C-alpha cells in the first residue's frame, strides 16, 4: 500500500539517540553537562578576548567569533533535545524543523569558514611575519568574517527553501536528535533529486573547498617551519598554530567519520550517535584546546576572574 501524501504536515517526531526509557535520564544529564560546559567555556573565551587589550589581534578576533558560533551551533539542537527528553515528548513542529535546519547549516558552515580564515591568519603570521600587520588589517579581518556570514546564510537559506518545496508522507519519524537535513529529505514522498544535487554541490564547494585551503596553508606553514634553523625557533613557530591545527583535525575527522560511518552502516541511530562528536563534543573541547598552553589567554582569564582591567 502506497503511503499517503500529505503536503500540509504540522510536525515531525525526533526519535533521538536512543528510545530506551532507561537511558533517558542518563542522556539528559550527559547532554545538559556538555551543553553548559560548551556555553560557559566559549563565553569565557569571548569575555577574555574583549576585556584584555593584548588580545585585540586578528587571531583572537577570529577565535572569539568561533566561540560565538560554537555556542549558537550547539544551542540550535541541544536545548530542544533536552526539552523533549524532560517532557517525554518527541514532537517538533514543521516550522520548528525548518528553522532548526536553517540555523544548523548556517552555524556548521560558518564554523568551517572560520577555521579556514584562522588557517590563513596562521599562514600569514608564519610565512610572512614582517607583513602580518599590514596584510591582516582590521578591514580585511572584518571583511573575511562578513563574507563568511553572508555565504553561510545564503547557503542555509537555499537548502531550507529546497526542503520547503517537498511533499511528505505520513511516516514522519526522524531517526536523529535534531532535524538533520539528510534524514528529513529521506522522508519526502516527492522527487528529491534536486535536493540531493544541491546538498552534494554545497558539500563539495563549502566543505572540500575550505579544507583544501587549510591543507594548502599548512603545507606552506610546514615548509616555512622546516626552513627555520634553530630548534627553539621551530618550536615557537609551531606552537602558534598547534591549537588551531588540533581543532581542525578534531572537526574534520569527526565530520568525515560521520559521513563514512553512515555510508558503511546505513544505521540512522549510529549516525545520530556519531553526529554528537562534531555537533556537541567538538564545540565543548575547543575552549580547552585553545586555552591550554596559551599563556596570553590564560593570563586574560585569570584577570577576568580577579576582576582586574
Amino acid at each position: 500500500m502506497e503511503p499517503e501524501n500529505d503536503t500540509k504536515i504540522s510536525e515531525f517526531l525526533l526519535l533521538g539517540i536512543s528510545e530506551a526509557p532507561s537511558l533517558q535520564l542518563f542522556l539528559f544529564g550527559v547532554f545538559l553537562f556538555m551543553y553548559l560546559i560548551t556555553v560557559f567555556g566559549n563565553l569565557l573565551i569571548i569575555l577574555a578576548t574583549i576585556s584584555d587589550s593584548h588580545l585585540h589581534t586578528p587571531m583572537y578576533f577570529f577565535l572569539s567569533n568561533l566561540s560565538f558560533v560554537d555556542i549558537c551551533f550547539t544551542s540550535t539542537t541541544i536545548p530542544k533535545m533536552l526539552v523533549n527528553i524532560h517532557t517525554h515528548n518527541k514532537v517538533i513542529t514543521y516550522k520548528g524543523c525548518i528553522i532548526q535546519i536553517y540555523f544548523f547549516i548556517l552555524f556548521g558552515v560558518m564554523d568551517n569558514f572560520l577555521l579556514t580564515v584562522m588557517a590563513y591568519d596562521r599562514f600569514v603570521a608564519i610565512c610572512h611575519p614582517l607583513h602580518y600587520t599590514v596584510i591582516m588589517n582590521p578591514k580585511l579581518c572584518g571583511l573575511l568574517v562578513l563574507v563568511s556570514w553572508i555565504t553561510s546564510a545564503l547557503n542555509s537559506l537555499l537548502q531550507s527553501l529546497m526542503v520547503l518545496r517537498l511533499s511528505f508522507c505520513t511516516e514522519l519519524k526522524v531517526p536523529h536528535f535534531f532535524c538533520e537535513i539528510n534524514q528529513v529529505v529521506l522522508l519526502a514522498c516527492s522527487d528529491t533529486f534536486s535536493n540531493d544535487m544541491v546538498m552534494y554541490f554545497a558539500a563539495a564547494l563549502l566543505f572540500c573547498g575550505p579544507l583544501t585551503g587549510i591543507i594548502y596553508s599548512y603545507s606552506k606553514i610546514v615548509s616555512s617551519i622546516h626552513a627555520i634553523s634553530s630548534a627553539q625557533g621551530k618550536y615557537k613557530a609551531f606552537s602558534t598554530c598547534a591549537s588551531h591545527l588540533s581543532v581542525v583535525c578534531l572537526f574534520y575527522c569527526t565530520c568525515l567519520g560521520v559521513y563514512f560511518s553512515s555510508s558503511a552502516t546505513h544505521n540512522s541511530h549510529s549516525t545520530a550517535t556519531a553526529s554528537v562528536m562534531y555537533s556537541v563534543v567538538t564545540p565543548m573541547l575547543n575552549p580547552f584546546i585553545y586555552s591550554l598552553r596559551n599563556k596570553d589567554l590564560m593570563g586574560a582569564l585569570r584577570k577576568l576572574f580577579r576582576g582586574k582591567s
Side-chain angles (χ1 to χ4, degrees), residues 100-164:
Q100 196 174 64
I101 287 173
Y102 174 84
F103 283 107
F104 185 81
I105 295 173
L106 170 66
F107 296 122
V109 173
M110 190 63 195
D111 236 341
N112 193 21
F113 282 154
L114 283 174
L115 289 175
T116 308
V117 170
M118 292 171 80
Y120 175 70
D121 173 72
R122 293 299 84 204
F123 160 72
V124 176
I126 294 174
C127 299
H128 305 284
L130 298 178
H131 301 96
Y132 178 74
T133 54
V134 176
I135 297 173
M136 300 304 295
N137 58 76
K139 184 177 180 181
L140 177 63
C141 294
L143 184 62
L144 288 172
V145 172
L146 179 62
V147 170
S148 297
W149 275 111
I150 292 172
T151 307
S152 301
L154 291 176
N155 170 63
S156 55
L157 179 62
L158 173 62
Q159 304 239 28
S160 302
L161 291 175
M162 293 294 290
V163 175
L164 280 173

Side-chain angles (χ1 to χ4, degrees), residues 14 36 69-70 85 94 102 104 108 113 116 118 132 159 173 185 195 199 206 233 237 240 244-245 248 285:
L14 297 175
L36 292 176
V69 170
D70 280 343
I85 294 175
Y94 176 73
Y102 174 84
F104 185 81
F113 282 154
T116 308
M118 292 171 80
Y132 178 74
Q159 304 239 28
K173 296 179 179 179
V185 170
N195 292 74
M199 285 191 289
L206 304 179
T240 62
H244 176 258
L245 186 59
V248 166
L285 293 178

Side-chain angles (χ1 to χ4, degrees), residues 2-238:
E2 290 293 324
E4 181 184 348
N5 187 28
D6 182 12
T7 58
K8 297 181 180 179
I9 61 166
S10 59
E11 59 189 32
F12 291 92
L13 290 179
L14 297 175
L15 300 184
I17 293 175
S18 173
E19 296 182 72
S22 59
L23 288 176
Q24 298 310 302
L25 184 60
F26 171 75
L27 290 174
F28 182 86
V30 168
F31 278 89
L32 178 61
F33 174 76
M34 289 195 294
Y35 179 65
L36 292 176
I37 293 296
T38 301
V39 172
F40 287 124
N42 283 288
L43 190 59
L44 284 175
I45 296 291
I46 295 171
L47 292 174
T49 55
I50 292 173
S51 63
D52 194 328
S53 60
H54 295 97
L55 301 184
H56 292 176
T57 62
M59 182 177 74
Y60 292 106
F61 170 69
F62 296 134
L63 177 58
S64 60
N65 274 273
L66 181 67
S67 294
F68 172 74
V69 170
D70 280 343
I71 292 173
C72 296
F73 191 40
T74 52
S75 297
T76 302
T77 57
I78 302 305
K80 177 59 179 173
M81 178 191 182
L82 294 174
V83 169
N84 286 2
I85 294 175
H86 180 68
T87 59
H88 305 287
N89 184 357
K90 300 178 179 180
V91 170
I92 183 170
T93 64
Y94 176 73
K95 185 184 293 184
C97 188
I98 298 299
I99 291 172
Q100 196 174 64
I101 287 173
Y102 174 84
F103 283 107
F104 185 81
I105 295 173
L106 170 66
F107 296 122
V109 173
M110 190 63 195
D111 236 341
N112 193 21
F113 282 154
L114 283 174
L115 289 175
T116 308
V117 170
M118 292 171 80
Y120 175 70
D121 173 72
R122 293 299 84 204
F123 160 72
V124 176
I126 294 174
C127 299
H128 305 284
L130 298 178
H131 301 96
Y132 178 74
T133 54
V134 176
I135 297 173
M136 300 304 295
N137 58 76
K139 184 177 180 181
L140 177 63
C141 294
L143 184 62
L144 288 172
V145 172
L146 179 62
V147 170
S148 297
W149 275 111
I150 292 172
T151 307
S152 301
L154 291 176
N155 170 63
S156 55
L157 179 62
L158 173 62
Q159 304 239 28
S160 302
L161 291 175
M162 293 294 290
V163 175
L164 280 173
R165 59 177 286 278
L166 297 175
S167 299
F168 290 92
C169 307
T170 53
E171 184 66 28
L172 298 174
K173 296 179 179 179
V174 182
H176 220 294
F177 64 93
F178 66 93
C179 281
E180 203 273 329
I181 187 169
N182 291 306
Q183 298 296 333
V184 173
V185 170
L186 288 174
L187 298 176
C189 290
S190 54
D191 180 53
T192 62
F193 177 78
S194 56
N195 292 74
D196 294 335
M197 289 300 100
V198 169
M199 285 191 289
Y200 291 141
F201 179 76
L205 185 65
L206 304 179
F207 183 85
C208 297
L211 179 58
T212 302
I214 291 172
I215 292 172
Y216 174 79
S217 294
Y218 273 101
S219 67
K220 293 294 184 180
I221 288 171
V222 170
S223 298
S224 295
I225 292 176
H226 184 70
I228 299 173
S229 56
S230 68
Q232 186 178 359
K234 288 182 179 181
Y235 174 79
K236 186 177 179 181
F238 180 75

